[in-house]
Amino acid sequence: MLGQTFLANQTIDLPDNESSVIVSVHSASLIDHGRKALGITYCDSGLILDITRGIEIWTFVYFEDSDEQSNDFCFDLLAGHGVGRLQSTEEPCVSNFARQLIHQNLRSLINNQSRSRLKIELVLPAGKELAERTSNSAFGVVDGLSLIGTQAQAQSSASPDQLNNTLEELKN
């Protein structure tokens, strides 16, 4: 949408302003006669056993005219298929960390579109089915997986071996 060349590896700055990670983008394309863009990647949770490991993540982006006048970069996150919504508010269940990542990394790319908002629709094609294997519904998250990350990398505490590792440490 911005006329830039597609790069398979994107550097993403983290909110701590001191580090970054590389995200592999599987593919990207303009759609709807160039008015929208689609990017596809896969969740990389590393060696940690995680229900989201390897799932496809699609992101649709487009500008929409707005009556709002703003000098800052404005965006709306939309819960597409497979992304959980809070049942009480219908809002996408996306953590503040994820929102900070988006804001920090896109605001420098987007020229202030004084009367436009960037719409970002996240889609997890397998999210709805995978959510049935979680306790999301007990927390009021419906229709998919919640994006609740608080940092860029998975922690070893999520490892299935963590209990055994902790027991071994306590023996020593």
Side-chain angles (χ1 to χ4, degrees):
M1 281 179 27
L2 300 176
Q4 297 177 0
T5 303
F6 167 71
L7 298 173
N9 293 311
Q10 295 289 325
T11 300
I12 305 296
D13 294 326
L14 301 179
D16 64 14
N17 291 322
E18 295 179 14
S19 57
S20 60
V21 294
I22 303 293
V23 173
S24 296
V25 179
H26 177 69
S27 59
S29 179
L30 292 174
I31 55 176
D32 195 17
H33 304 287
R35 292 187 296 257
K36 297 180 180 180
L38 166 66
I40 300 173
T41 189
Y42 295 90
C43 180
D44 178 5
S45 57
L47 300 175
I48 310 303
L49 179 62
D50 185 284
I51 197 167
T52 62
R53 184 176 187 193
I55 68 167
E56 263 187 352
I57 302 168
W58 298 0
T59 306
F60 292 94
V61 295
Y62 57 95
F63 286 105
E64 186 173 88
D65 289 337
S66 172
D67 294 333
E68 224 175 274
Q69 186 74 24
S70 176
N71 292 328
D72 194 20
F73 166 61
C74 298
F75 69 95
D76 294 317
L77 280 179
L78 308 172
H81 179 80
V83 174
R85 294 175 293 101
L86 294 173
Q87 189 171 23
S88 59
T89 65
E90 295 295 313
E91 289 292 315
C93 192
V94 178
S95 71
N96 284 335
F97 178 78
R99 292 174 192 274
Q100 289 172 353
L101 278 177
I102 292 168
H103 189 270
Q104 180 170 334
N105 286 278
L106 292 182
R107 77 169 171 226
S108 63
L109 294 176
I110 309 295
N111 294 329
N112 280 338
Q113 306 282 334
S114 62
R115 299 188 80 69
S116 295
R117 293 181 71 84
L118 185 64
K119 300 288 187 170
I120 303 168
E121 180 179 355
L122 303 172
V123 174
L124 302 174
K128 193 167 187 172
E129 293 77 22
L130 289 173
E132 293 173 6
R133 296 172 35 199
T134 72
S135 57
N136 280 1
S137 61
F139 297 99
V141 178
V142 297
D143 293 334
L145 294 171
S146 55
L147 305 175
I148 58 171
T150 58
Q151 55 194 32
Q153 297 177 332
Q155 296 298 300
S156 62
S157 62
S159 169
D161 297 326
Q162 186 61 31
L163 177 59
N164 290 333
N165 294 343
T166 301
L167 291 172
E168 286 300 316
E169 285 180 26
L170 290 173
K171 288 180 186 176
N172 297 327

